Amino acid sequence: MIQLAKESKMSILNSPETTEKILSLVSEGYYDKDIYKELKISNATFKKWKDEHTIEYKKAKAKSISIALKNAQNGLMKKLLGGVNKEETLNFQYDDDGNETLVSKQVKTKEFPPDTLAIMFTLKAGDPEKWNYAEFKRLQIDDAGSDALKELAMEAAKYSLSNYQKPPEVSDEIPQ
């Protein structure tokens, strides 16, 4: 008798409408746990359904990942470029009959600058050798060291032989 109940659940799951609904939820990014809880079935039953619909499930999952990546790229691009947000505030007045009338409309615009962290992330992802933090620090240290060397060279240039007069020649004669 329990076997019949399981068979009936699988037949409901395998119906075209339910299968389409499940695949739609998967492609929208829902977790398996949320799907089988909504369907009021066990994880094991859902796994059986997945095993029977492997190809369709994988395609729906790939679509979900593709959509998520596209959304992430769009969000990152907005943070990289900065921009303007517009915010509208509508004020209504209600008469005695409950009818609403628009009294005023306020539009506020707020600029937001490019996000430095998003820029750094993009640079590191695009050229990790160049934008590696450790490499950046090493270059800073090297640059600071080269400044010290420049100072030493400038200091040494002060002591150039051309800056000094030739000493007078000393004769071998002994004055009397």
Side-chain angles (χ1 to χ4, degrees):
M1 197 147 180
I2 295 173
Q3 190 67 18
L4 288 176
K6 285 186 179 179
E7 286 299 318
S8 64
K9 283 185 181 181
M10 283 306 293
S11 63
I12 292 170
L13 281 177
N14 286 325
S15 73
E17 298 84 23
T18 306
T19 297
E20 187 177 322
K21 179 181 177 184
I22 292 171
L23 293 173
S24 173
L25 292 172
V26 170
S27 68
E28 290 173 20
Y30 283 83
Y31 294 108
D32 289 355
K33 184 176 182 179
D34 296 330
I35 296 170
Y36 68 74
K37 280 188 173 189
E38 183 178 323
L39 296 170
K40 296 180 174 83
I41 59 172
S42 69
N43 181 23
T45 304
F46 188 70
K47 185 169 177 357
K48 285 180 187 176
W49 177 88
K50 279 179 24 178
D51 290 343
E52 292 178 12
H53 298 86
T54 304
I55 295 171
E56 300 103 304
Y57 179 83
K58 285 183 178 181
K59 284 181 181 178
K61 200 58 133 168
K63 182 179 178 185
S64 158
I65 292 168
S66 174
I67 290 169
L69 285 173
K70 192 64 170 171
N71 288 338
Q73 287 172 341
N74 289 340
L76 180 60
M77 188 57 70
K78 286 178 184 176
K79 288 201 167 264
L80 286 171
L81 299 175
V84 177
N85 278 339
K86 290 184 180 181
E87 190 176 295
E88 286 186 4
T89 305
L90 304 175
N91 295 314
F92 294 96
Q93 186 175 21
Y94 296 92
D95 61 16
D96 295 337
D97 296 330
N99 299 322
E100 66 181 7
T101 306
L102 181 62
V103 177
S104 66
K105 176 180 176 180
Q106 294 176 330
V107 179
K108 292 181 183 178
T109 58
K110 183 179 179 184
E111 287 190 41
F112 59 96
D115 185 321
T116 308
L117 188 59
I119 293 168
M120 289 173 58
F121 170 80
T122 304
L123 291 172
K124 286 176 83 171
D127 191 354
E129 286 185 28
K130 183 175 182 181
W131 296 101
N132 179 335
Y133 181 74
E135 181 68 11
F136 177 72
K137 277 301 197 189
R138 187 188 67 73
L139 289 172
Q140 275 185 325
I141 291 168
D142 287 353
D143 191 40
S146 68
D147 285 346
L149 286 174
K150 284 179 192 174
E151 287 178 26
L152 284 173
M154 298 284 279
E155 189 67 29
K158 292 179 186 175
Y159 300 104
S160 173
L161 291 176
S162 63
N163 293 339
Y164 297 99
Q165 293 180 2
K166 194 174 184 183
E169 288 194 28
V170 178
S171 68
D172 289 340
E173 293 181 19
I174 300 176
Q176 297 192 358

